[in-house]
Amino acid sequence: MLIVESLQKSFQLDDDEVCAVDNLSFEVQPGEVYGLLGPNGAGKTTTLRMILGLVKPDAGYAQVSGFRTEVDPTAVKSRLGFVSASDGVYPWLSVREMLLYFADLYGVLPNEAASRCEHLAALMGIKPLLDRRAGTLSTGQRQRVTLVRGLIHDPPVMLLDEPTRGLDVVGVQTIFEYIEHLREVGKAVVVCTHRLDEAERLCDRFGLLHHGRMQQTGTLPQLRQQSGHDHLVDMFIELLRS
Amino acid sequence: MPGVSLKGRLLRLCQKELKETIRDRRTIVTLVLMPLLVYPIMSMALNRFLLTNVSSDDGFTICVSSELESEILDQWLSNPLSVPPKAIADSSGGELAKFQVAVITDVPPAEAVARNDADVGMELSNIETGNPTATFFAYRGDSVSQAARRVVVERLQWLKLAEAENLLKRTLPDYRTPVLVSAEDVGSVEENSLLATIVPLVLVLMTITGAVYPAIDLTAGERERGTMEAVMASPVPRGYVLLSKYTAVVVVALLTAIANLVAMFTTLWASGLLEFLTGGDAFPWLTILQMLGLLVLFSGFFSAVLLSLTSFAKSFKEAQAYLIPVMLLSLTPAMLSLMPGITLSGALIVLPLVNIILLARDLLSGSVDPNNAFVAIVSTFAYAAAALSVAARLFGSDAVTRTSEKSIGSLLRRPREASSRPTPQAAALMLALLVPVYFLVSNGLMRFIKTSEDLNVSFALLLNAIALIFTFGLIPALAAWMGRNRFKTTFRIQPSGLLSFIGAILLGLGAWAFAHEAFLLADAIGIGGLSDQQIASAEASVTKMRESSALLLIACFALTPAVIEEFCFRGYLFSAIRGAATPLRTILITAFLFGLFHVLTGKALLVERFVPSTLMGLIIGWVAYRTRSVFPGIVIHFVHNGLLMLVLYYQDQLSFLGEGFDDQMHLPPLWLAAASALVMTGTLLIWVSSRNQPPGKSENKSDQQQADTRVT
């Protein structure tokens, strides 16, 4: 499971210090999909990057399966899967070579990596693409390869940053099915998005982020009770106006 | 990640980077197409240049339009009176230019010269009068044609003059030539073949051409493709990813350079230009082997520099903007190889890029100084390591935020948070600064002492100590301050028990005997050894040192090096390397560096110091590891140096001890037995004193504390 405790991060922009994430805490249990929601610049991506160890927090920590980011970042990284809308592929490698490369980065043994590669490729319907050069794939195919890549080391926690950005209806549906699969196999999933309609369909619990602070958190019924609105969109508009 | 071999992983990462680069068709263009196309075209241009600028062995061709003119010209040129006096011939190179006369009837001589059928054309008028007028035609701007005309006109002038002089002598028997002239040369000519002059320039171009594209693609390109963030999110150490990229860039640069080399030599050989460039008949296999060695050096250096620069860039375009000025700047020192007056000496030995270009030229012309070559190679590797450490600090940092947190300026900024020890990258940077500064300071100091004959010996000793403090003392201290490393942990300033100090004194007293035996062993296997001249020079230095007080000698040659060098090697470097390596490797690396720096003293490389110094480095390294402190090492170093200094100082008074002090002889068995007893007792005391504090755990105390805080 994932625990985020009092994460804090400020950036220096010219002479000003901008607080990107302010004392943020939440937990995600295995088999749960947590939606970290907020407008652009709310601090969602910075939060994910702090969990991933790409950004050093000013204070606080994230804990994955008992390992804390500031103590053992390598152990944390090896237990996290990460998929972002801006992820690319290596154009001159075959899909199989690319997936095995990432398996190697995560320390998966070569034999195990090969069988996981076959299994996940079958699951995501990219088996015929495995020996194609990645540079020749369509956007939708690349997206599915990226989703397989995120799971190649079988991490207990998955982080998805704006996973549906720039995708068509079929692509979005693939993401939905993917997240459903993650839930079924017991992964703790964090989805960062500003697509609130999609989040309502996907997530079990929500954290509403604004100006780096957690404004509200809970399940949809709990949020409805707290805010007096039925939909996340209305809750957000009120949040932005306040 | 249990069960996964790190070396195997690194190898697979390198394979991936190589596959990705070599499959790219842009690499293929630089690797295959360019050499295939460029060299044949270049050789054609060179051939044309040589044809128009160099005379053939058959001499110059003069064309005339009739047999009569040909006969007359032949008579003039074969007349011994047309040969210039020996002094004139000697001052023009000594050899008489050859001429061939050709009769061309289809066009006038001027036109024949214009269409390159002859070097010079001649037309004779007024032949029938017995007083003919010769007009010579040369091609404007063609140096060969102009030279040929100048020589033939001079020959005819000499003919006129000699005939006039003979006439004078016949009519005036008392006539004497006003002055007799002779010419002689002094000095020697630098025998640089044309190949040795142009190859360094070609090497720079070859390696840069090969390294530029992969360096950009594997760093800035990775960012642009959107794969960098995913790589950085993985648990593989950043250094591994960078090292695999570096390997790929070096391999591609080498392959490109080798492809260029093969294409260049094949084209030169096929076009017949090779003989002209090498100045000999044999195929230059040795030159090719030397060039391969140089290519490794050039590729290693350029790949590191280019990777460090492209690590700053966020896009392909930005990376290109950084690299173009670097490429142009690199050509400037490359041009130095074309200048005959510039040699690999002084500060140029440690000047990046310039040193290896001059080394390449000297190596190919067979005039390389091994000492200077060694320093140039060591400093180049240090610069490459420094460039890589810069790359390691920046590489992947832009994956953190789209607006990069790190920039060129961030390298000069101190980190916000203090750390307990420097990183190995910071240590590499420190060494890259230390190598040239130490080389320049020690060289400068030696020159100063040598040129100041009336310099006070005590002052010279003090200068030596000050130089040591400024280099080995100040540079690591500055590096620790810049990195905001806590001085106490970085320089391993830890208290140590009385027992460990007693052990250190005993080790210091006994270790010199083994260092001496190691020196003799190294001599026996051909590493170092002292020549008679070196022994005489050392004896002269010892005699001179006796003019100073023993106390000052101990302060400058025992206390200062013991404190300063130990803080550098068993303090800063030990803690930096220990952060990334096992204790054994840390001891080995610091000992090797300790030995290496004792070789790099002044202009002459003191190779004979390597083995004994490295042995001392191993002993002190082990003590530093066991005691977790720099202080016992200082004591060993001080006692060892102090003992040697005192023995040298009081050599005459100690002569009753026998011949054991002879540098070239093994120590008597009794002495060795006593030294062994001292070393063993010292080792035992050190081991006992640190028995209750297993160094492996306490050395990594901060890591242990971190592990303890892990929540399970």
Side-chain angles (χ1 to χ4, degrees), chain A residues 9-13 17 45 49 52-58 63 65-68 70-75 77-78 80 82 84 86-94 97-98 101-110 133 149 161, chain B residues 1-5 8-9 12-13 16-17 19-21 23-26 213 217 222 225-236 238 241 244-245 396-397 399-403 405 416-417 705-712:
Chain A
K9 182 69 190 175
S10 298
F11 289 111
Q12 197 74 34
L13 282 181
E17 194 163 76
T45 303
R49 286 184 174 151
L52 283 162
L54 295 174
V55 165
K56 200 175 174 192
D58 295 336
Q63 185 182 308
S65 307
F67 294 92
R68 276 164 59 163
E70 85 278 28
V71 178
D72 196 345
T74 306
K77 281 180 169 188
S78 61
L80 288 172
F82 175 58
S84 157
S86 59
D87 281 344
V89 293
Y90 292 109
W92 297 97
L93 295 187
S94 72
E97 284 170 341
M98 196 186 101
Y101 168 65
F102 274 96
D104 216 5
L105 289 182
Y106 281 91
V108 183
L109 290 168
R133 195 161 69 74
R149 194 211 68 209
D161 189 17
Chain B
M1 285 162 276
V4 181
S5 147
R9 260 176 103 191
R12 288 193 293 276
L13 298 186
K16 173 259 167 189
E17 301 295 353
K19 266 186 205 166
E20 198 196 346
T21 309
R23 283 179 190 169
D24 194 331
R25 64 173 77 92
R26 285 170 287 191
Y213 173 69
D217 188 58
E222 179 122 25
R225 281 192 295 273
T227 43
M228 179 72 93
E229 200 165 46
V231 172
M232 288 299 115
S234 72
V236 74
R238 193 187 283 193
V241 181
S244 61
K245 289 183 184 297
S397 61
V400 167
T401 52
R402 293 292 179 232
T403 52
E405 270 193 312
R416 276 187 191 177
E417 286 173 29
Q705 281 172 340
Q706 285 179 344
D708 291 340
T709 54
R710 202 186 85 189
V711 180
T712 50

Side-chain angles (χ1 to χ4, degrees), chain B residues 635-677:
Chain B
V635 172
I636 298 175
H637 203 143
F638 172 72
V639 172
H640 171 266
N641 284 19
L643 187 67
L644 288 182
M645 282 298 130
L646 287 176
V647 167
L648 286 172
Y649 194 83
Y650 294 110
Q651 198 170 12
D652 297 338
Q653 289 89 326
L654 293 170
S655 56
F656 66 91
L657 288 169
E659 292 180 342
F661 293 125
D662 191 330
D663 274 348
Q664 304 301 299
M665 284 184 68
H666 286 284
L667 292 172
L670 194 65
W671 286 45
L672 275 177
S676 302

Side-chain angles (χ1 to χ4, degrees), chain B residues 63 104 106-118 121 123 137 139:
Chain B
C63 72
I104 297 175
D106 59 333
V107 287
E111 213 170 303
V113 171
R115 70 181 191 193
N116 208 21
D117 285 347
E123 237 174 41
F137 305 97
Y139 198 86

Side-chain angles (χ1 to χ4, degrees), chain B residues 502-579:
Chain B
I502 298 170
I505 292 170
L506 295 180
L507 270 172
L509 285 171
W512 74 272
F514 294 96
H516 175 81
E517 289 301 313
F519 167 77
L520 294 181
L521 181 72
D523 184 22
I525 57 172
I527 310 171
L530 293 175
S531 64
D532 292 345
Q533 196 188 349
Q534 281 174 308
I535 293 169
S537 161
E539 279 171 358
S541 302
V542 170
T543 313
K544 210 165 187 192
M545 278 195 297
R546 290 201 189 107
E547 291 172 21
S548 171
S549 77
L551 203 63
L552 188 67
L553 198 66
I554 294 290
C556 295
F557 278 147
L559 186 62
T560 313
V563 174
I564 299 298
E565 289 178 10
E566 287 311 311
F567 273 120
C568 177
F569 289 96
R570 255 64 61 178
Y572 186 92
L573 286 172
F574 199 98
S575 62
I577 298 165
R578 183 68 186 92

Side-chain angles (χ1 to χ4, degrees), chain A residues 115-147:
Chain A
S115 68
R116 273 199 71 74
C117 181
E118 291 287 340
H119 167 72
L120 290 169
L123 192 77
M124 295 302 295
I126 58 161
K127 218 168 174 181
L129 306 177
L130 279 178
D131 295 310
R132 279 252 307 265
R133 195 161 69 74
T136 64
L137 302 178
S138 69
T139 309
Q141 289 168 333
R142 281 182 192 212
Q143 176 219 10
R144 279 184 284 161
V145 169
T146 306
L147 295 175

Side-chain angles (χ1 to χ4, degrees), chain B residues 262-304:
Chain B
V262 170
M264 186 177 84
F265 274 95
T266 310
T267 316
L268 289 175
W269 174 76
S271 61
L273 287 169
L274 197 58
E275 277 180 30
F276 171 75
L277 289 172
T278 53
D281 293 344
F283 194 82
W285 292 110
L286 181 67
T287 307
I288 291 177
L289 280 178
Q290 287 171 332
M291 282 175 75
L292 286 174
L294 286 166
L295 280 176
V296 176
L297 193 64
F298 274 69
S299 307
F301 174 74
F302 274 117
S303 301

